[in-house]
Amino acid sequence: MDRLIYLDNNATTPLDPRVLDAMMPYLTTHFANASSVTHRAGREAAAAVEHARECVASLIGASSSELTFTSGATEAINMVLKGVYERYQTKGRHFITCQTEHKAVLDTFAYLEKQGAEVSYLPVSADGTLDLAELDATIRADTVLVALMQANNETGVLHPVRDIAEITAQRDVLFFCDATQAAGKVPINVAKTGIDLLCLSGHKFYGPKGAGALYIKRKSRRIQTGILLHGGGQENKLRAGTLNVPGIVGFGKAAILAREELETDSVRLAKLRDQLEKGLTALPATFVNGVETARLPNVSNVAFRHLRADQVMVSLPDIAVASGSACVSGTRDPSHVLKAMGLSDADAHASIRFSLGRFTTPDDIRTCVAQVTASVNELRSSSFIWQLHASGLVD
């Protein structure tokens, strides 16, 4: 097989050719610094940045004045959590998050705990969902912020962000939503949901790497996130430095395409995802993690019991999949997301994430099902533990 079947779109997506076309002039002839507004070339670059800001803001239902460009979601997460901790200590030092959050959130909170913050980590049920009553009960007088993602990067499980925002608003607590995996895949409207802060990255929906954004809700009293970088006063004086004009332009174009094609892409991908799951779960002792709840239309996290995911993936050189988040793919520990959902170490190690994308075809899915099925059957045929399972001696 010459063509790689790429099913790791939650790690990153390929650059859409239409996005590259939009970026090219700003990599070549339109190279000016967007802060150099004393001449026409600089003003043209600045205008391109502001147009992109409007495009990205439109994707999430925000005003362009509420958007700050960053290098990506990880930077925005650090900016928000560290900044809020620093600025809101007169109210309190208590934060709430979830055990299944991305490592960018969990590791930042681990750092803040060493600085004196107190963090409550909400559990999830076996299907990856939250108990909103428990969230409400965990909020205290000294709670300053709740950080919960919209869509899980490993399972695709969706959290009810509108309901979460209602709870935090009633309790006068900030709600920060990591929408990195949700943007471009499911509708987002921060104005209607009441989210206070939200982050996203362009490379998750066919834009360039290195371009992301932080949404900060406009209030009568501005939300204080602190200043990430001091210098030239760019990006609402929150993030100084020369703007990545080509990346921002590509981010804006990707946002336009995502908004225009979201509905049709979601329907198509959900059908392909369902076909994938139907084919793979025809294998014995194989199941989808989080299948019983609302999920992203492009994600299937499948456990092949009594195998290791790395065994299966090595046997599939022409199919790109993952055993979890790309940021921790080199670790030997079982997925913290799947462990929080109650999976054993063995089942967590046996799980593979298939994340489909805009360029995934029906033929890709058929080929994937056939090759994974053949691989799993072959690996199990030589597995002692599988023989015990087949004999009914182990579950």
Side-chain angles (χ1 to χ4, degrees), residues 22-37:
M23 294 173 63
M24 283 305 294
Y26 298 91
L27 289 165
T28 53
T29 55
H30 293 46
F31 55 82
N33 189 322
S35 297
S36 299
V37 293

Side-chain angles (χ1 to χ4, degrees), residues 52-70:
R53 196 186 310 273
E54 292 172 0
C55 295
V56 176
S58 180
L59 177 64
I60 62 172
S63 165
S64 61
S65 63
E66 298 174 305
L67 215 67
T68 296
F69 284 123
T70 67

Side-chain angles (χ1 to χ4, degrees), residues 266-279:
S266 295
V267 171
R268 187 184 72 87
L269 288 171
K271 289 180 179 178
L272 292 178
R273 179 201 65 188
D274 293 346
Q275 291 170 14
L276 175 73
E277 292 178 357
K278 181 179 179 181

Side-chain angles (χ1 to χ4, degrees), residues 72 163 244 394:
D163 296 335
N244 173 16
V394 297

Side-chain angles (χ1 to χ4, degrees), residues 146-151 161 175-180 195 197-199:
V146 171
L148 294 170
M149 58 175 35
Q150 182 166 359
V161 291
F175 174 29
F176 172 46
C177 180
D178 173 8
T180 307
I195 294 169
L197 303 117
L198 177 144
C199 64

